[in-house]
Amino acid sequence: MNSTSNKRIALISVHGDPAIEIGREEAGGQNVYVRQVGEALSQLGWEVDMFSRKVSADQDNIVQHNPRCRTIRLTAGPVEFVPRDHGFQYLPEFVKQLLKFQKENGIKYEVVHTNYWLSSWVGLQLKKIQGSKQVHTYHSLGIIKYNTIDNIPLVASQRLAVERKVLETAERIVATSPQEKHHMRTLVSQQGNIDIIPCGTNIKHFGSVDRDTARAALGFDADAKVVLYVGRFDPRKGIETLVRAVRESKFFGDKNLKLIIGGGSTPGNSDGRERDRIEGIVKELGMSECTIFPGLLKQEILPTYYAAADVCVVPSHYEPFGLVAVEAMACGTPVIASDVGGLQFSVVNENTGLLVPPQDVTAFSHAIDRILENPEWRAALGKSANMRVMSKFSWDGVASQLDSLYTELLQPVKERVLVAG
Ligand code: UDP
């Protein structure tokens, strides 16, 4: 094998297709993570193959993003959307198809980086069958999720067992924040090798628009008070808390106040139902005039929305990382976030934004008022937010840390021992 082909990596993301449109049901941070990591690694000379499950007949089997980075869609189970809690049964077929792809193309993936627990099971099989080394990013931990929802799915015990097994046996686990690592250690297992490598953001893209240009583009007055939410419609994202907090704000009733709730949804699906529920609350609270639902915001327009906002609010009940927070911060917009998980890592309280207890309407309302009533402080928080992202959360920085990790794993064992010794 020559040196170029040695730098080959499979990123496996069974349900999070890196080539699809982001911001709808089950398409969020994980899809962005895999795509951005993949593209950034290819710039560092890696041959990157990103594997996902094909969910519609009109999807191409292979999407070439650049000469060294592609998405490969395998047919495993019905060629239609399957909620992730029902996806486990199709994984053996996914493994089979991946092995077939390897054979047909004369490739063997020495290292696979798996994403979310479904893919981690695929990685465990590849390790068993052909000795692939496994790196794994959880994106969400079952044990935390099941503590915050009422309807525990049937697949829960399977998921918890797989999540424990991969932590104890993968060559390396990537925690995206110190908080996530702490949760793995205290709630999943004491065994296993965990590195902390955060999620990132495209700092050239986010941060490319200034506030005045953004406001002009969206038709907002210079003195508008703009509160922004971006994300999927999911009850655990806490949009209801934000809506109620804005209703309690001292600025409610001021014609300059705008609440933007951005994110896609499909009528009849779970995100469509959540959007209907939120719209119902907005109506009931008499907030229809000040609330805007722009629908799915494409990545191209997102910097304009973030830059136009006075504050971006991330009211999630839990968030292992929370890409939206760092995207807003990169655009120079302070963030008010729930004091949970990875948000405690990205948002520095009183410095780049404010952290408040999750689901606490009054605390969110008070935090929003503090920022809206003090434009100079707001600007200072935004500046620190931008600087924090520049120094800590660029995809290029994330990719170079992953590059070192994979390179270490690809070294023959003897060399690794020598280096360690
Ligand atoms: N997103 C988007 N358009 C939308 C809503 C969300 O592109 O209308 C993107 C957003 O920019 C971010 C991702 O979806 O990159 C959401 O990631 P996050 O980690 O915040 O949440 P998740 O969806 O993983 O729970």
Side-chain angles (χ1 to χ4, degrees):
M1 206 180 248
N2 64 36
S3 61
T4 317
S5 60
N6 195 24
K7 281 186 86 165
R8 184 187 294 286
I9 180 85
L11 302 182
I12 302 179
S13 183
V14 176
H15 85 282
D17 185 327
I20 57 160
E21 199 171 55
I22 309 301
R24 259 180 227 286
E25 188 175 41
E26 298 199 0
Q30 180 179 328
N31 309 59
V32 174
Y33 177 91
V34 176
R35 172 74 175 269
Q36 296 293 329
V37 161
E39 296 230 22
L41 284 167
S42 69
Q43 299 305 323
L44 297 176
W46 289 84
E47 300 281 336
V48 183
D49 286 344
M50 307 187 285
F51 288 92
S52 198
R53 201 182 74 81
K54 184 164 174 163
V55 300
S56 134
D58 57 15
Q59 287 182 325
D60 291 330
N61 291 341
I62 297 189
V63 182
Q64 196 77 42
H65 301 292
N66 71 45
R68 278 197 296 267
C69 178
R70 57 187 175 169
T71 293
I72 297 155
R73 297 187 173 117
L74 303 178
T75 299
V79 181
E80 61 188 37
F81 173 76
V82 172
R84 53 192 138 181
D85 284 342
H86 299 281
F88 188 72
Q89 57 190 310
Y90 306 119
L91 297 182
E93 183 61 22
F94 193 93
V95 172
K96 207 167 127 195
Q97 293 302 326
L98 204 156
L99 291 170
K100 186 165 164 244
F101 181 88
Q102 280 193 144
K103 201 162 165 208
E104 285 171 0
N105 291 276
I107 296 171
K108 181 185 159 202
Y109 300 104
E110 304 290 342
V111 178
V112 298
H113 184 158
T114 54
N115 293 274
Y116 194 64
W117 79 273
L118 292 170
S119 309
S120 81
W121 188 88
V122 173
L124 288 167
Q125 308 315 304
L126 294 174
K127 179 192 268 296
K128 220 188 286 172
I129 297 165
Q130 60 179 25
S132 298
K133 308 225 166 70
Q134 185 175 16
V135 177
H136 180 65
T137 305
Y138 281 91
H139 297 278
S140 155
L141 277 175
I143 186 79
I144 291 183
K145 177 164 183 185
Y146 300 144
N147 282 338
T148 61
I149 56 173
D150 296 330
N151 299 323
I152 309 285
L154 283 173
V155 75
S157 59
Q158 187 104 56
R159 173 173 179 177
L160 296 178
V162 172
E163 288 190 335
R164 183 182 176 118
K165 171 113 189 196
V166 70
L167 173 51
E168 294 180 344
T169 59
E171 271 64 25
R172 211 62 60 89
I173 298 292
V174 173
T176 53
S177 64
Q179 288 74 13
E180 196 187 14
K181 176 175 177 177
H182 174 74
H183 285 135
M184 290 172 196
R185 280 285 174 254
T186 51
L187 301 172
V188 184
S189 175
Q190 292 290 326
Q191 293 172 41
N193 303 315
I194 304 175
D195 279 4
I196 299 171
I197 302 179
C199 290
T201 195
N202 183 340
I203 53 179
K204 287 184 212 96
H205 179 58
F206 292 103
S208 57
V209 186
D210 70 73
R211 183 179 158 91
D212 292 344
T213 313
R215 288 199 163 203
L218 297 178
F220 294 144
D221 294 343
D223 56 358
K225 304 275 184 204
V226 182
V227 178
L228 174 69
Y229 167 86
V230 174
R232 293 177 297 110
F233 279 91
D234 180 322
R236 296 189 317 128
K237 286 286 181 186
I239 309 172
E240 176 174 356
T241 307
L242 168 61
V243 170
R244 294 190 184 279
V246 169
R247 179 64 182 79
E248 270 190 22
S249 160
K250 62 167 73 151
F251 291 94
F252 181 71
D254 181 329
K255 68 172 181 18
N256 282 326
L257 182 71
K258 303 259 174 272
L259 168 61
I260 305 173
I261 302 178
S265 58
T266 310
N269 283 7
S270 67
D271 54 4
R273 288 194 293 279
E274 176 63 0
R275 174 167 166 162
D276 291 346
R277 195 180 73 85
I278 296 294
E279 281 195 71
I281 297 171
V282 164
K283 237 189 231 152
E284 183 191 311
L285 296 178
M287 299 172 67
S288 299
E289 226 164 89
C290 72
T291 308
I292 303 165
F293 289 91
L296 184 129
L297 298 172
K298 296 205 178 212
Q299 291 277 310
E300 297 80 58
I301 191 73
L302 267 173
T304 305
Y305 274 87
Y306 287 128
D310 287 291
V311 62
C312 178
V313 182
V314 185
S316 312
H317 299 180
Y318 182 76
E319 205 63 75
F321 185 78
L323 278 177
V324 162
V326 288
E327 290 168 1
M329 287 163 63
C331 296
T333 301
V335 170
I336 297 173
S338 296
D339 193 3
V340 292
L343 296 168
Q344 296 171 325
F345 178 44
S346 50
V347 178
V348 180
N349 194 29
E350 304 281 344
N351 177 255
T352 71
L354 295 169
L355 289 168
V356 296
Q359 306 187 60
D360 186 334
V361 170
T362 306
F364 270 96
S365 186
H366 181 60
I368 291 169
D369 285 347
R370 278 184 68 199
I371 289 184
L372 291 186
E373 68 197 359
N374 192 342
E376 271 168 31
W377 185 53
R378 189 212 81 85
L381 291 173
K383 199 157 180 224
S384 307
N386 169 269
M387 280 162 54
R388 181 160 173 80
V389 175
M390 294 288 172
S391 66
K392 270 198 154 2
F393 302 116
S394 78
W395 282 125
D396 293 344
V398 170
S400 89
Q401 291 178 69
L402 289 171
D403 170 80
S404 308
L405 171 55
Y406 303 152
T407 304
E408 192 193 321
L409 293 180
L410 279 170
Q411 278 182 18
V413 174
K414 235 169 60 205
E415 273 180 50
R416 270 197 278 152
V417 172
L418 283 179
V419 171

